[in-house]
Amino acid sequence: MTMTISFRLKHEDREVTVMVDSMQNVSGTLHVLAEAGIFPCREYTIRSVRSGRRIMSGLTYEESNIYNGDIILLEWEV
């Protein structure tokens, strides 16, 4: 199933909304966004804004209980 998800960088005022397949890995989306130059390629702590839970990047959106319209917060050590 196709969903619309927003990714937000915690330490910068940047957010991007993308359409993804619910069976796609979170890490796959981040890789594509980094290759496109939208986000820096680095290690992130990934959290769901809705639930506050940490998301494991190797899991799919479905396995991570990420739903249509969710916002994913990307954090890193400053």
Side-chain angles (χ1 to χ4, degrees):
M1 173 169 71
T2 302
M3 311 183 309
T4 301
I5 303 292
S6 295
F7 286 88
R8 181 182 297 163
L9 289 178
K10 181 177 181 179
H11 304 290
E12 296 179 18
D13 189 24
R14 192 178 329 170
E15 183 173 304
V16 65
T17 301
V18 296
M19 294 184 73
V20 297
D21 186 282
S22 62
M23 297 307 293
Q24 182 176 340
N25 288 350
V26 177
S27 62
T29 305
L30 291 175
H31 181 74
V32 169
L33 293 173
E35 279 189 342
I38 296 170
F39 290 141
C41 185
R42 56 170 52 136
E43 288 291 318
Y44 292 106
T45 298
I46 306 165
R47 295 192 186 280
S48 166
V49 170
R50 177 182 46 81
S51 69
R53 288 182 305 104
R54 187 171 178 179
I55 306 298
M56 303 307 294
S57 66
L59 298 178
T60 66
Y61 292 99
E62 188 173 295
E63 293 169 333
S64 300
N65 296 314
I66 300 297
Y67 304 106
N68 190 49
D70 276 354
I71 299 171
I72 306 298
L73 184 66
L74 305 175
E75 306 172 331
W76 68 90
E77 294 293 321
V78 180

